Amino acid sequence: MGRRLIALLLAGLQGLALSAVVHAQGEATVPLDHLPALRGDYFAIRSQANGREYHVYVRLPEGYAEHPDRRWPVVYLLDGDSLFPLLAPTHLFLHYDEQLPEAILVGIAYGSFDPAVNARHIDFSDAAPDPSQGEAGAPAFLAFLRDELLPEAERRHRVDPQRRVLVGQSRGGYFVLWSALREPDLFWGRIASAIRR
């Protein structure tokens, strides 16, 4: 599997380089068209809970169009700017090699790593005895997930709401566990990785 993953990453980088060259030559192209492991949907959503705009990337399972009555498990990825392009193809290869069930993957992104745009330090932090200025936005971000993003994703795609999974890394992992205490039934499963607070 390691060789296949490396080959996939190299092919992805080659596809991005090719699309950049084509774009530079004046032809419009969407880079994801050349990366079938990331193909699916995209939409932007402005949260009423905190006023932020989020970029939402969706990878649809292979066979999604061929099974119009089927509902799919869904995996919501925090830090979608970095985790979505990494985990979407990894999930596909685990499906091929290890028979991991297919699922809809939803990457929740900010569209930039610039701290003026990327508000993970706010969204993934709850109130603490010594919070940094402007942090403690986890309650509003959880309201955004529950009341805005999940309903919109389920309206757009054939999601099985009984099999939702939330994945977070680092501070996102903290939010995953914090959300389990506040809304234990919102997600069927949670994966928290490299937690620190």
PDB file of all heavy atoms in Angstrom, residues 139-175:
ATOM      1  N   PRO A 139     -18.315  26.912  21.072  1.00  0.00           N
ATOM      2  CA  PRO A 139     -19.782  26.814  21.093  1.00  0.00           C
ATOM      3  C   PRO A 139     -20.437  27.311  19.801  1.00  0.00           C
ATOM      4  O   PRO A 139     -21.362  26.679  19.286  1.00  0.00           O
ATOM      5  CB  PRO A 139     -20.181  27.663  22.296  1.00  0.00           C
ATOM      6  CG  PRO A 139     -18.995  27.604  23.203  1.00  0.00           C
ATOM      7  CD  PRO A 139     -17.812  27.612  22.269  1.00  0.00           C
ATOM      8  N   ALA A 140     -19.941  28.414  19.245  1.00  0.00           N
ATOM      9  CA  ALA A 140     -20.514  28.934  18.000  1.00  0.00           C
ATOM     10  C   ALA A 140     -20.193  28.008  16.831  1.00  0.00           C
ATOM     11  O   ALA A 140     -21.036  27.791  15.950  1.00  0.00           O
ATOM     12  CB  ALA A 140     -19.999  30.346  17.722  1.00  0.00           C
ATOM     13  N   PHE A 141     -18.977  27.436  16.809  1.00  0.00           N
ATOM     14  CA  PHE A 141     -18.612  26.526  15.720  1.00  0.00           C
ATOM     15  C   PHE A 141     -19.451  25.248  15.794  1.00  0.00           C
ATOM     16  O   PHE A 141     -19.894  24.731  14.763  1.00  0.00           O
ATOM     17  CB  PHE A 141     -17.119  26.199  15.770  1.00  0.00           C
ATOM     18  CG  PHE A 141     -16.660  25.358  14.620  1.00  0.00           C
ATOM     19  CD1 PHE A 141     -16.580  25.876  13.339  1.00  0.00           C
ATOM     20  CD2 PHE A 141     -16.314  24.032  14.821  1.00  0.00           C
ATOM     21  CE1 PHE A 141     -16.153  25.087  12.268  1.00  0.00           C
ATOM     22  CE2 PHE A 141     -15.893  23.235  13.765  1.00  0.00           C
ATOM     23  CZ  PHE A 141     -15.806  23.767  12.480  1.00  0.00           C
ATOM     24  N   LEU A 142     -19.695  24.751  16.993  1.00  0.00           N
ATOM     25  CA  LEU A 142     -20.549  23.572  17.146  1.00  0.00           C
ATOM     26  C   LEU A 142     -21.974  23.877  16.674  1.00  0.00           C
ATOM     27  O   LEU A 142     -22.601  23.044  16.001  1.00  0.00           O
ATOM     28  CB  LEU A 142     -20.553  23.098  18.605  1.00  0.00           C
ATOM     29  CG  LEU A 142     -21.354  21.835  18.902  1.00  0.00           C
ATOM     30  CD1 LEU A 142     -20.864  20.646  18.082  1.00  0.00           C
ATOM     31  CD2 LEU A 142     -21.293  21.521  20.397  1.00  0.00           C
ATOM     32  N   ALA A 143     -22.469  25.070  16.975  1.00  0.00           N
ATOM     33  CA  ALA A 143     -23.797  25.470  16.490  1.00  0.00           C
ATOM     34  C   ALA A 143     -23.812  25.533  14.966  1.00  0.00           C
ATOM     35  O   ALA A 143     -24.791  25.127  14.330  1.00  0.00           O
ATOM     36  CB  ALA A 143     -24.195  26.816  17.092  1.00  0.00           C
ATOM     37  N   PHE A 144     -22.723  26.024  14.366  1.00  0.00           N
ATOM     38  CA  PHE A 144     -22.613  26.053  12.907  1.00  0.00           C
ATOM     39  C   PHE A 144     -22.688  24.642  12.332  1.00  0.00           C
ATOM     40  O   PHE A 144     -23.421  24.384  11.377  1.00  0.00           O
ATOM     41  CB  PHE A 144     -21.302  26.743  12.506  1.00  0.00           C
ATOM     42  CG  PHE A 144     -20.855  26.425  11.107  1.00  0.00           C
ATOM     43  CD1 PHE A 144     -21.569  26.876  10.010  1.00  0.00           C
ATOM     44  CD2 PHE A 144     -19.713  25.669  10.892  1.00  0.00           C
ATOM     45  CE1 PHE A 144     -21.152  26.574   8.715  1.00  0.00           C
ATOM     46  CE2 PHE A 144     -19.289  25.362   9.611  1.00  0.00           C
ATOM     47  CZ  PHE A 144     -20.010  25.816   8.509  1.00  0.00           C
ATOM     48  N   LEU A 145     -21.935  23.715  12.919  1.00  0.00           N
ATOM     49  CA  LEU A 145     -21.982  22.328  12.431  1.00  0.00           C
ATOM     50  C   LEU A 145     -23.396  21.766  12.537  1.00  0.00           C
ATOM     51  O   LEU A 145     -23.953  21.263  11.558  1.00  0.00           O
ATOM     52  CB  LEU A 145     -21.021  21.447  13.226  1.00  0.00           C
ATOM     53  CG  LEU A 145     -19.529  21.663  13.040  1.00  0.00           C
ATOM     54  CD1 LEU A 145     -18.743  20.701  13.933  1.00  0.00           C
ATOM     55  CD2 LEU A 145     -19.111  21.508  11.593  1.00  0.00           C
ATOM     56  N   ARG A 146     -23.972  21.857  13.718  1.00  0.00           N
ATOM     57  CA  ARG A 146     -25.270  21.233  14.005  1.00  0.00           C
ATOM     58  C   ARG A 146     -26.409  21.853  13.200  1.00  0.00           C
ATOM     59  O   ARG A 146     -27.224  21.138  12.611  1.00  0.00           O
ATOM     60  CB  ARG A 146     -25.558  21.364  15.510  1.00  0.00           C
ATOM     61  CG  ARG A 146     -26.882  20.733  15.954  1.00  0.00           C
ATOM     62  CD  ARG A 146     -27.207  21.110  17.395  1.00  0.00           C
ATOM     63  NE  ARG A 146     -27.372  22.555  17.517  1.00  0.00           N
ATOM     64  CZ  ARG A 146     -26.690  23.310  18.393  1.00  0.00           C
ATOM     65  NH1 ARG A 146     -25.833  22.768  19.230  1.00  0.00           N
ATOM     66  NH2 ARG A 146     -26.903  24.616  18.435  1.00  0.00           N
ATOM     67  N   ASP A 147     -26.459  23.182  13.150  1.00  0.00           N
ATOM     68  CA  ASP A 147     -27.633  23.864  12.611  1.00  0.00           C
ATOM     69  C   ASP A 147     -27.497  24.297  11.152  1.00  0.00           C
ATOM     70  O   ASP A 147     -28.505  24.590  10.504  1.00  0.00           O
ATOM     71  CB  ASP A 147     -27.954  25.102  13.457  1.00  0.00           C
ATOM     72  CG  ASP A 147     -28.193  24.748  14.916  1.00  0.00           C
ATOM     73  OD1 ASP A 147     -28.646  23.621  15.195  1.00  0.00           O
ATOM     74  OD2 ASP A 147     -27.913  25.604  15.775  1.00  0.00           O
ATOM     75  N   GLU A 148     -26.265  24.351  10.649  1.00  0.00           N
ATOM     76  CA  GLU A 148     -26.059  24.879   9.303  1.00  0.00           C
ATOM     77  C   GLU A 148     -25.370  23.887   8.373  1.00  0.00           C
ATOM     78  O   GLU A 148     -25.926  23.527   7.327  1.00  0.00           O
ATOM     79  CB  GLU A 148     -25.251  26.182   9.389  1.00  0.00           C
ATOM     80  CG  GLU A 148     -25.936  27.254  10.232  1.00  0.00           C
ATOM     81  CD  GLU A 148     -25.075  28.483  10.416  1.00  0.00           C
ATOM     82  OE1 GLU A 148     -24.704  29.105   9.400  1.00  0.00           O
ATOM     83  OE2 GLU A 148     -24.744  28.819  11.578  1.00  0.00           O
ATOM     84  N   LEU A 149     -24.165  23.446   8.728  1.00  0.00           N
ATOM     85  CA  LEU A 149     -23.406  22.618   7.788  1.00  0.00           C
ATOM     86  C   LEU A 149     -23.995  21.222   7.609  1.00  0.00           C
ATOM     87  O   LEU A 149     -24.176  20.767   6.467  1.00  0.00           O
ATOM     88  CB  LEU A 149     -21.946  22.509   8.221  1.00  0.00           C
ATOM     89  CG  LEU A 149     -21.094  21.642   7.289  1.00  0.00           C
ATOM     90  CD1 LEU A 149     -21.062  22.196   5.870  1.00  0.00           C
ATOM     91  CD2 LEU A 149     -19.694  21.472   7.832  1.00  0.00           C
ATOM     92  N   LEU A 150     -24.274  20.529   8.693  1.00  0.00           N
ATOM     93  CA  LEU A 150     -24.816  19.174   8.554  1.00  0.00           C
ATOM     94  C   LEU A 150     -26.125  19.161   7.773  1.00  0.00           C
ATOM     95  O   LEU A 150     -26.276  18.357   6.840  1.00  0.00           O
ATOM     96  CB  LEU A 150     -24.980  18.503   9.921  1.00  0.00           C
ATOM     97  CG  LEU A 150     -23.748  17.768  10.451  1.00  0.00           C
ATOM     98  CD1 LEU A 150     -22.533  18.647  10.591  1.00  0.00           C
ATOM     99  CD2 LEU A 150     -24.066  17.086  11.764  1.00  0.00           C
ATOM    100  N   PRO A 151     -27.081  20.047   8.075  1.00  0.00           N
ATOM    101  CA  PRO A 151     -28.303  20.058   7.258  1.00  0.00           C
ATOM    102  C   PRO A 151     -28.038  20.368   5.788  1.00  0.00           C
ATOM    103  O   PRO A 151     -28.668  19.784   4.901  1.00  0.00           O
ATOM    104  CB  PRO A 151     -29.160  21.154   7.904  1.00  0.00           C
ATOM    105  CG  PRO A 151     -28.675  21.246   9.310  1.00  0.00           C
ATOM    106  CD  PRO A 151     -27.202  20.953   9.238  1.00  0.00           C
ATOM    107  N   GLU A 152     -27.098  21.271   5.502  1.00  0.00           N
ATOM    108  CA  GLU A 152     -26.807  21.608   4.099  1.00  0.00           C
ATOM    109  C   GLU A 152     -26.144  20.439   3.376  1.00  0.00           C
ATOM    110  O   GLU A 152     -26.496  20.119   2.241  1.00  0.00           O
ATOM    111  CB  GLU A 152     -25.914  22.851   4.027  1.00  0.00           C
ATOM    112  CG  GLU A 152     -25.574  23.298   2.624  1.00  0.00           C
ATOM    113  CD  GLU A 152     -26.772  23.738   1.792  1.00  0.00           C
ATOM    114  OE1 GLU A 152     -27.865  23.968   2.350  1.00  0.00           O
ATOM    115  OE2 GLU A 152     -26.611  23.853   0.561  1.00  0.00           O
ATOM    116  N   ALA A 153     -25.191  19.784   4.025  1.00  0.00           N
ATOM    117  CA  ALA A 153     -24.546  18.621   3.406  1.00  0.00           C
ATOM    118  C   ALA A 153     -25.559  17.511   3.160  1.00  0.00           C
ATOM    119  O   ALA A 153     -25.534  16.845   2.118  1.00  0.00           O
ATOM    120  CB  ALA A 153     -23.406  18.125   4.291  1.00  0.00           C
ATOM    121  N   GLU A 154     -26.486  17.322   4.084  1.00  0.00           N
ATOM    122  CA  GLU A 154     -27.490  16.272   3.940  1.00  0.00           C
ATOM    123  C   GLU A 154     -28.564  16.641   2.927  1.00  0.00           C
ATOM    124  O   GLU A 154     -29.180  15.760   2.335  1.00  0.00           O
ATOM    125  CB  GLU A 154     -28.075  15.945   5.313  1.00  0.00           C
ATOM    126  CG  GLU A 154     -27.038  15.265   6.190  1.00  0.00           C
ATOM    127  CD  GLU A 154     -27.426  15.137   7.650  1.00  0.00           C
ATOM    128  OE1 GLU A 154     -28.618  15.338   7.977  1.00  0.00           O
ATOM    129  OE2 GLU A 154     -26.522  14.853   8.461  1.00  0.00           O
ATOM    130  N   ARG A 155     -28.748  17.927   2.689  1.00  0.00           N
ATOM    131  CA  ARG A 155     -29.672  18.356   1.642  1.00  0.00           C
ATOM    132  C   ARG A 155     -29.060  18.117   0.266  1.00  0.00           C
ATOM    133  O   ARG A 155     -29.732  17.701  -0.676  1.00  0.00           O
ATOM    134  CB  ARG A 155     -30.005  19.843   1.821  1.00  0.00           C
ATOM    135  CG  ARG A 155     -31.011  20.379   0.819  1.00  0.00           C
ATOM    136  CD  ARG A 155     -31.157  21.886   0.914  1.00  0.00           C
ATOM    137  NE  ARG A 155     -29.985  22.604   0.456  1.00  0.00           N
ATOM    138  CZ  ARG A 155     -29.663  22.795  -0.832  1.00  0.00           C
ATOM    139  NH1 ARG A 155     -30.427  22.297  -1.783  1.00  0.00           N
ATOM    140  NH2 ARG A 155     -28.587  23.482  -1.155  1.00  0.00           N
ATOM    141  N   ARG A 156     -27.753  18.351   0.151  1.00  0.00           N
ATOM    142  CA  ARG A 156     -27.074  18.256  -1.137  1.00  0.00           C
ATOM    143  C   ARG A 156     -26.739  16.819  -1.541  1.00  0.00           C
ATOM    144  O   ARG A 156     -26.673  16.514  -2.729  1.00  0.00           O
ATOM    145  CB  ARG A 156     -25.755  19.047  -1.095  1.00  0.00           C
ATOM    146  CG  ARG A 156     -25.931  20.533  -1.082  1.00  0.00           C
ATOM    147  CD  ARG A 156     -24.577  21.218  -0.848  1.00  0.00           C
ATOM    148  NE  ARG A 156     -24.676  22.633  -1.058  1.00  0.00           N
ATOM    149  CZ  ARG A 156     -24.347  23.255  -2.186  1.00  0.00           C
ATOM    150  NH1 ARG A 156     -23.901  22.571  -3.215  1.00  0.00           N
ATOM    151  NH2 ARG A 156     -24.477  24.563  -2.294  1.00  0.00           N
ATOM    152  N   HIS A 157     -26.479  15.971  -0.565  1.00  0.00           N
ATOM    153  CA  HIS A 157     -25.953  14.635  -0.862  1.00  0.00           C
ATOM    154  C   HIS A 157     -26.695  13.570  -0.065  1.00  0.00           C
ATOM    155  O   HIS A 157     -27.282  13.868   0.980  1.00  0.00           O
ATOM    156  CB  HIS A 157     -24.455  14.581  -0.573  1.00  0.00           C
ATOM    157  CG  HIS A 157     -23.686  15.596  -1.358  1.00  0.00           C
ATOM    158  ND1 HIS A 157     -23.529  15.529  -2.716  1.00  0.00           N
ATOM    159  CD2 HIS A 157     -23.065  16.737  -0.967  1.00  0.00           C
ATOM    160  CE1 HIS A 157     -22.827  16.572  -3.135  1.00  0.00           C
ATOM    161  NE2 HIS A 157     -22.542  17.325  -2.092  1.00  0.00           N
ATOM    162  N   ARG A 158     -26.625  12.338  -0.536  1.00  0.00           N
ATOM    163  CA  ARG A 158     -27.339  11.229   0.097  1.00  0.00           C
ATOM    164  C   ARG A 158     -26.538  10.697   1.288  1.00  0.00           C
ATOM    165  O   ARG A 158     -25.928   9.635   1.234  1.00  0.00           O
ATOM    166  CB  ARG A 158     -27.636  10.142  -0.931  1.00  0.00           C
ATOM    167  CG  ARG A 158     -28.568  10.622  -2.034  1.00  0.00           C
ATOM    168  CD  ARG A 158     -29.055   9.513  -2.924  1.00  0.00           C
ATOM    169  NE  ARG A 158     -28.002   8.653  -3.436  1.00  0.00           N
ATOM    170  CZ  ARG A 158     -27.281   8.909  -4.516  1.00  0.00           C
ATOM    171  NH1 ARG A 158     -27.480  10.031  -5.200  1.00  0.00           N
ATOM    172  NH2 ARG A 158     -26.362   8.064  -4.925  1.00  0.00           N
ATOM    173  N   VAL A 159     -26.562  11.476   2.349  1.00  0.00           N
ATOM    174  CA  VAL A 159     -25.850  11.167   3.587  1.00  0.00           C
ATOM    175  C   VAL A 159     -26.735  10.321   4.487  1.00  0.00           C
ATOM    176  O   VAL A 159     -27.944  10.557   4.574  1.00  0.00           O
ATOM    177  CB  VAL A 159     -25.464  12.487   4.294  1.00  0.00           C
ATOM    178  CG1 VAL A 159     -25.022  12.246   5.722  1.00  0.00           C
ATOM    179  CG2 VAL A 159     -24.406  13.237   3.499  1.00  0.00           C
ATOM    180  N   ASP A 160     -26.135   9.343   5.171  1.00  0.00           N
ATOM    181  CA  ASP A 160     -26.839   8.602   6.217  1.00  0.00           C
ATOM    182  C   ASP A 160     -26.588   9.338   7.537  1.00  0.00           C
ATOM    183  O   ASP A 160     -25.494   9.249   8.102  1.00  0.00           O
ATOM    184  CB  ASP A 160     -26.309   7.175   6.293  1.00  0.00           C
ATOM    185  CG  ASP A 160     -26.985   6.353   7.383  1.00  0.00           C
ATOM    186  OD1 ASP A 160     -27.760   6.926   8.185  1.00  0.00           O
ATOM    187  OD2 ASP A 160     -26.720   5.144   7.456  1.00  0.00           O
ATOM    188  N   PRO A 161     -27.563  10.090   8.058  1.00  0.00           N
ATOM    189  CA  PRO A 161     -27.321  10.881   9.269  1.00  0.00           C
ATOM    190  C   PRO A 161     -27.090  10.032  10.519  1.00  0.00           C
ATOM    191  O   PRO A 161     -26.643  10.556  11.539  1.00  0.00           O
ATOM    192  CB  PRO A 161     -28.593  11.726   9.397  1.00  0.00           C
ATOM    193  CG  PRO A 161     -29.628  11.003   8.622  1.00  0.00           C
ATOM    194  CD  PRO A 161     -28.919  10.256   7.534  1.00  0.00           C
ATOM    195  N   GLN A 162     -27.377   8.729  10.417  1.00  0.00           N
ATOM    196  CA  GLN A 162     -27.116   7.838  11.559  1.00  0.00           C
ATOM    197  C   GLN A 162     -25.658   7.383  11.603  1.00  0.00           C
ATOM    198  O   GLN A 162     -25.245   6.749  12.570  1.00  0.00           O
ATOM    199  CB  GLN A 162     -28.036   6.612  11.483  1.00  0.00           C
ATOM    200  CG  GLN A 162     -29.513   6.944  11.479  1.00  0.00           C
ATOM    201  CD  GLN A 162     -29.911   7.759  12.692  1.00  0.00           C
ATOM    202  OE1 GLN A 162     -29.578   7.410  13.821  1.00  0.00           O
ATOM    203  NE2 GLN A 162     -30.622   8.854  12.474  1.00  0.00           N
ATOM    204  N   ARG A 163     -24.893   7.696  10.543  1.00  0.00           N
ATOM    205  CA  ARG A 163     -23.487   7.257  10.491  1.00  0.00           C
ATOM    206  C   ARG A 163     -22.577   8.426  10.131  1.00  0.00           C
ATOM    207  O   ARG A 163     -21.839   8.399   9.166  1.00  0.00           O
ATOM    208  CB  ARG A 163     -23.335   6.101   9.500  1.00  0.00           C
ATOM    209  CG  ARG A 163     -24.056   4.857   9.982  1.00  0.00           C
ATOM    210  CD  ARG A 163     -23.656   3.628   9.225  1.00  0.00           C
ATOM    211  NE  ARG A 163     -24.058   3.707   7.832  1.00  0.00           N
ATOM    212  CZ  ARG A 163     -23.569   2.935   6.871  1.00  0.00           C
ATOM    213  NH1 ARG A 163     -22.642   2.043   7.158  1.00  0.00           N
ATOM    214  NH2 ARG A 163     -24.004   3.047   5.633  1.00  0.00           N
ATOM    215  N   ARG A 164     -22.630   9.451  10.976  1.00  0.00           N
ATOM    216  CA  ARG A 164     -21.742  10.611  10.838  1.00  0.00           C
ATOM    217  C   ARG A 164     -20.509  10.397  11.706  1.00  0.00           C
ATOM    218  O   ARG A 164     -20.619   9.981  12.858  1.00  0.00           O
ATOM    219  CB  ARG A 164     -22.411  11.875  11.360  1.00  0.00           C
ATOM    220  CG  ARG A 164     -23.599  12.378  10.627  1.00  0.00           C
ATOM    221  CD  ARG A 164     -24.043  13.672  11.317  1.00  0.00           C
ATOM    222  NE  ARG A 164     -25.332  14.103  10.853  1.00  0.00           N
ATOM    223  CZ  ARG A 164     -26.328  14.463  11.653  1.00  0.00           C
ATOM    224  NH1 ARG A 164     -26.186  14.433  12.968  1.00  0.00           N
ATOM    225  NH2 ARG A 164     -27.474  14.857  11.136  1.00  0.00           N
ATOM    226  N   VAL A 165     -19.343  10.771  11.164  1.00  0.00           N
ATOM    227  CA  VAL A 165     -18.087  10.698  11.914  1.00  0.00           C
ATOM    228  C   VAL A 165     -17.418  12.062  11.834  1.00  0.00           C
ATOM    229  O   VAL A 165     -17.405  12.690  10.777  1.00  0.00           O
ATOM    230  CB  VAL A 165     -17.160   9.605  11.333  1.00  0.00           C
ATOM    231  CG1 VAL A 165     -15.812   9.594  12.045  1.00  0.00           C
ATOM    232  CG2 VAL A 165     -17.823   8.232  11.419  1.00  0.00           C
ATOM    233  N   LEU A 166     -16.853  12.519  12.948  1.00  0.00           N
ATOM    234  CA  LEU A 166     -16.117  13.784  12.998  1.00  0.00           C
ATOM    235  C   LEU A 166     -14.651  13.470  13.267  1.00  0.00           C
ATOM    236  O   LEU A 166     -14.331  12.715  14.186  1.00  0.00           O
ATOM    237  CB  LEU A 166     -16.682  14.685  14.106  1.00  0.00           C
ATOM    238  CG  LEU A 166     -16.025  16.058  14.262  1.00  0.00           C
ATOM    239  CD1 LEU A 166     -16.247  16.925  13.009  1.00  0.00           C
ATOM    240  CD2 LEU A 166     -16.572  16.773  15.505  1.00  0.00           C
ATOM    241  N   VAL A 167     -13.743  14.062  12.463  1.00  0.00           N
ATOM    242  CA  VAL A 167     -12.305  13.820  12.578  1.00  0.00           C
ATOM    243  C   VAL A 167     -11.593  15.144  12.794  1.00  0.00           C
ATOM    244  O   VAL A 167     -11.844  16.118  12.074  1.00  0.00           O
ATOM    245  CB  VAL A 167     -11.760  13.140  11.301  1.00  0.00           C
ATOM    246  CG1 VAL A 167     -10.240  12.972  11.382  1.00  0.00           C
ATOM    247  CG2 VAL A 167     -12.435  11.802  11.070  1.00  0.00           C
ATOM    248  N   GLY A 168     -10.693  15.167  13.778  1.00  0.00           N
ATOM    249  CA  GLY A 168      -9.902  16.367  14.032  1.00  0.00           C
ATOM    250  C   GLY A 168      -8.493  16.021  14.445  1.00  0.00           C
ATOM    251  O   GLY A 168      -8.259  15.001  15.100  1.00  0.00           O
ATOM    252  N   GLN A 169      -7.568  16.888  14.078  1.00  0.00           N
ATOM    253  CA  GLN A 169      -6.145  16.715  14.363  1.00  0.00           C
ATOM    254  C   GLN A 169      -5.666  17.865  15.245  1.00  0.00           C
ATOM    255  O   GLN A 169      -6.045  19.016  15.025  1.00  0.00           O
ATOM    256  CB  GLN A 169      -5.385  16.691  13.027  1.00  0.00           C
ATOM    257  CG  GLN A 169      -3.904  16.976  13.093  1.00  0.00           C
ATOM    258  CD  GLN A 169      -3.105  15.811  13.605  1.00  0.00           C
ATOM    259  OE1 GLN A 169      -3.598  14.688  13.623  1.00  0.00           O
ATOM    260  NE2 GLN A 169      -1.886  16.051  14.048  1.00  0.00           N
ATOM    261  N   SER A 170      -4.861  17.565  16.255  1.00  0.00           N
ATOM    262  CA  SER A 170      -4.272  18.570  17.131  1.00  0.00           C
ATOM    263  C   SER A 170      -5.379  19.366  17.842  1.00  0.00           C
ATOM    264  O   SER A 170      -6.222  18.785  18.517  1.00  0.00           O
ATOM    265  CB  SER A 170      -3.321  19.478  16.336  1.00  0.00           C
ATOM    266  OG  SER A 170      -2.608  20.312  17.205  1.00  0.00           O
ATOM    267  N   ARG A 171      -5.424  20.672  17.662  1.00  0.00           N
ATOM    268  CA  ARG A 171      -6.477  21.458  18.303  1.00  0.00           C
ATOM    269  C   ARG A 171      -7.856  21.009  17.812  1.00  0.00           C
ATOM    270  O   ARG A 171      -8.834  21.053  18.539  1.00  0.00           O
ATOM    271  CB  ARG A 171      -6.270  22.946  18.023  1.00  0.00           C
ATOM    272  CG  ARG A 171      -7.097  23.836  18.937  1.00  0.00           C
ATOM    273  CD  ARG A 171      -6.881  25.300  18.629  1.00  0.00           C
ATOM    274  NE  ARG A 171      -5.577  25.765  19.025  1.00  0.00           N
ATOM    275  CZ  ARG A 171      -5.358  26.748  19.893  1.00  0.00           C
ATOM    276  NH1 ARG A 171      -6.373  27.354  20.464  1.00  0.00           N
ATOM    277  NH2 ARG A 171      -4.149  27.126  20.184  1.00  0.00           N
ATOM    278  N   GLY A 172      -7.922  20.558  16.553  1.00  0.00           N
ATOM    279  CA  GLY A 172      -9.160  19.976  16.037  1.00  0.00           C
ATOM    280  C   GLY A 172      -9.549  18.721  16.793  1.00  0.00           C
ATOM    281  O   GLY A 172     -10.727  18.440  17.004  1.00  0.00           O
ATOM    282  N   GLY A 173      -8.542  17.938  17.234  1.00  0.00           N
ATOM    283  CA  GLY A 173      -8.809  16.755  18.060  1.00  0.00           C
ATOM    284  C   GLY A 173      -9.414  17.136  19.395  1.00  0.00           C
ATOM    285  O   GLY A 173     -10.308  16.451  19.911  1.00  0.00           O
ATOM    286  N   TYR A 174      -8.933  18.251  19.961  1.00  0.00           N
ATOM    287  CA  TYR A 174      -9.526  18.760  21.201  1.00  0.00           C
ATOM    288  C   TYR A 174     -11.001  19.082  20.979  1.00  0.00           C
ATOM    289  O   TYR A 174     -11.862  18.713  21.779  1.00  0.00           O
ATOM    290  CB  TYR A 174      -8.766  20.011  21.674  1.00  0.00           C
ATOM    291  CG  TYR A 174      -9.496  20.768  22.756  1.00  0.00           C
ATOM    292  CD1 TYR A 174      -9.395  20.374  24.087  1.00  0.00           C
ATOM    293  CD2 TYR A 174     -10.302  21.862  22.451  1.00  0.00           C
ATOM    294  CE1 TYR A 174     -10.084  21.056  25.083  1.00  0.00           C
ATOM    295  CE2 TYR A 174     -10.989  22.547  23.437  1.00  0.00           C
ATOM    296  CZ  TYR A 174     -10.875  22.143  24.756  1.00  0.00           C
ATOM    297  OH  TYR A 174     -11.565  22.812  25.730  1.00  0.00           O
ATOM    298  N   PHE A 175     -11.303  19.758  19.852  1.00  0.00           N
ATOM    299  CA  PHE A 175     -12.696  20.101  19.574  1.00  0.00           C
ATOM    300  C   PHE A 175     -13.553  18.844  19.418  1.00  0.00           C
ATOM    301  O   PHE A 175     -14.694  18.806  19.883  1.00  0.00           O
ATOM    302  CB  PHE A 175     -12.811  20.969  18.309  1.00  0.00           C
ATOM    303  CG  PHE A 175     -14.237  21.265  17.956  1.00  0.00           C
ATOM    304  CD1 PHE A 175     -14.909  22.318  18.558  1.00  0.00           C
ATOM    305  CD2 PHE A 175     -14.936  20.464  17.065  1.00  0.00           C
ATOM    306  CE1 PHE A 175     -16.245  22.572  18.275  1.00  0.00           C
ATOM    307  CE2 PHE A 175     -16.267  20.709  16.760  1.00  0.00           C
ATOM    308  CZ  PHE A 175     -16.921  21.769  17.375  1.00  0.00           C
TER     309      PHE A 175
END
